[in-house]
């Protein structure tokens, strides 16, 4: 009745995920590594298919198409289903009406005790309240076939699950929540992880093109910060350009021939003032963004440094990725 599909890029956490699922359900692991990597070394009971490094959407499609059961449960390769999960998922699915196309497991994110969570930990904790995330999401095979599965234009593990859920609900399928529980640990993704995650802004452009401007509300998401990032980026760019232009304006003024001494030209006076004003706007917006990320956290020196540095970089990187995404979808 049920097949578990786990796409992977060979994370070291995969064996623990398989052990938590247990031997009671058929499992397909989709190896999405590029090239000709070494075997994953998985138990014989696990079927492995290859998807050629085309991303999680393509990997999940390869997995469910290789399954032959009425239900397919997608798990990430770094989650830990709680004890009794196999029995719980069966209870979640066995009596669902025919118009139910999917059932979401309850995702919990264990956070450290004794201190506030870091920015990265808070971001991961957001999965606990997110709708239709494939950390633990079961779909009826008939619904997957009718919707043609995941849209492989989404190259990352970002928005491809929300896109599928929106298409299914608009086609008349109901999506429900089950009672099974899966843990999603927080990964240590490094100093620059929050900057790398801004690549998802390109996927947001595709979501807007496919589902309209209200797509974020349709999946229960909070308003984004892109407009503020755009204002921050514009202010910083204006400050740099005006600062660079000020010497040229002054030199041009001094190069003019006149029979009598001239005072500073209006442009020569105004340009530095505008540069300072633009710089002040950039500094204020950047400081507000950094403090918004620092205040609820542990405020250790390492966390404050990471938030300060990445808060400078995130606005222009986010805007650049969104512009890239808009250009791509328009083409």
């Amino acid at each position: 009745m049920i097949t578990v599909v786990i796409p992977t890029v060979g994370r070291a956490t995969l064996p623990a995920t398989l052990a938590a699922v247990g031997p009671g359900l058929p499992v397909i692991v989709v190896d999405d590594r590029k090239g000709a990597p070494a075997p994953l070394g998985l138990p014989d009971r696990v079927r492995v298919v290859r998807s050629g490094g085309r991303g999680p959407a393509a990997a999940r499609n390869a997995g469910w198409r290789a399954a032959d059961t009425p239900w397919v449960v997608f798990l990430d390769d770094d989650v830990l289903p709680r004890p009794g999960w196999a029995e719980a998922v069966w209870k979640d699915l066995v009596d669902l009406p025919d118009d139910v196309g999917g059932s979401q497991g309850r995702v919990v994110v264990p956070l450290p005790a004794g201190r506030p969570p870091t920015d990265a930990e808070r971001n991961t904790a957001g999965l606990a309240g997110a709708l239709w995330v494939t950390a633990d999401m079961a779909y009826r095979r008939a619904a997957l076939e009718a919707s043609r599965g995941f849209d492989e234009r989404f190259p990352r593990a970002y928005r491809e699950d929300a896109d599928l859920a929106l298409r299914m609900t608009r086609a008349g399928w109901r999506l429900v929540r089950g009672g099974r529980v899966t843990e999603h640990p927080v990964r240590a993704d490094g100093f620059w992880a929050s900057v790398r995650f801004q690549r998802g802004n390109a996927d947001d452009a595709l979501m807007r093109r496919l589902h309209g401007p209200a797509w974020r509300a349709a999946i229960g998401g909070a308003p984004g910060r892109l407009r503020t990032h755009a204002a921050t980026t514009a202010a910083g760019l204006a400050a740099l350009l005006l600062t660079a232009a000020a010497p040229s304006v002054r030199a041009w003024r001094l190069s003019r021939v006149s029979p009598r001494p001239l005072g500073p030209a209006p442009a020569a006076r105004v340009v530095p003032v505008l540069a300072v004003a633009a710089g002040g706007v950039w500094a204020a917006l950047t400081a507000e963004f950094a403090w918004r990320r620092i205040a609820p956290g542990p405020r250790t020196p390492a966390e404050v440094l990471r938030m300060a540095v990445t808060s400078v970089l995130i606005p222009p990187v986010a805007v650049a990725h969104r512009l890239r995404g808009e250009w791509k979808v328009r083409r």
Side-chain angles (χ1 to χ4, degrees), residues 23-326:
L25 295 173
V27 177
I28 296 176
V29 167
V30 186
D31 186 349
D32 197 44
R33 296 175 296 171
K34 295 181 179 180
L40 291 168
L42 303 179
D44 292 339
R45 65 180 176 85
V46 176
R47 181 181 174 189
V48 177
V49 300
R50 297 290 307 281
S51 54
R54 294 182 292 124
R60 293 193 187 99
N61 283 340
W64 73 259
R65 287 169 181 152
D68 57 3
T69 53
W71 284 93
V72 176
V73 185
F74 296 100
L75 294 176
D76 288 347
D77 66 350
D78 57 350
V79 300
L80 293 171
R82 288 273 179 88
W85 180 88
E87 295 77 13
V89 72
W90 184 85
K91 291 178 182 178
D92 283 346
L93 304 179
V94 65
D95 291 325
L96 288 178
D98 291 343
D99 67 329
V100 174
S103 167
Q104 180 180 5
R106 187 161 66 90
V107 177
V108 298
V109 179
L111 294 175
R115 66 163 175 80
T118 65
D119 179 70
E121 290 165 346
R122 292 193 305 274
N123 287 338
T124 304
L127 291 172
L131 292 176
W132 325 130
V133 292
T134 44
D136 183 345
M137 186 70 198
Y139 279 115
R140 194 184 295 272
R141 182 184 175 86
L144 289 167
E145 290 174 344
S147 63
R148 294 182 292 180
F150 294 88
D151 190 333
E152 297 181 12
R153 288 175 293 180
F154 290 93
R156 285 166 286 276
Y158 190 74
R159 303 303 188 203
E160 83 292 352
D161 46 8
D163 166 72
L164 177 59
L166 287 178
R167 286 189 284 116
M168 282 199 177
T169 54
R170 288 173 182 172
W173 297 98
R174 286 195 299 128
L175 304 179
V176 300
R177 289 181 178 271
R180 64 194 185 276
V181 180
T182 294
E183 284 189 11
H184 193 303
V186 177
R187 294 197 305 265
D189 286 327
F191 189 93
W192 304 106
S194 58
V195 178
R196 293 196 305 271
F197 292 163
Q198 302 311 309
R199 292 177 294 184
N201 282 280
D203 304 316
D204 286 351
L206 181 55
M207 287 291 288
R208 182 182 177 87
R209 173 56 62 95
L210 294 175
H211 302 288
W215 68 267
R216 196 183 296 271
I219 63 169
R225 196 181 167 89
L226 186 65
R227 291 183 180 180
T228 306
H229 286 338
T232 305
T233 303
L237 184 60
L240 290 174
L241 293 176
L242 289 168
T243 300
S248 299
V249 172
R250 185 175 182 181
W252 175 81
R253 175 62 179 165
L254 293 176
S255 68
R256 298 185 63 187
V257 178
S258 175
R260 50 196 175 128
L262 296 174
R269 293 194 303 268
V270 170
V271 169
V273 173
L274 292 177
V276 171
V281 171
W282 172 86
L285 290 173
T286 301
E288 183 273 334
F289 180 45
W291 180 245
R292 181 185 291 267
R293 302 170 71 206
I294 292 169
R299 305 189 196 179
T300 62
E303 177 73 356
V304 170
L305 175 63
R306 187 165 73 96
M307 294 299 95
V309 173
T310 57
S311 294
V312 172
L313 297 176
I314 283 174
V317 172
V319 170
H321 282 301
R322 182 56 181 262
L323 291 174
R324 176 176 61 84
E326 294 288 350

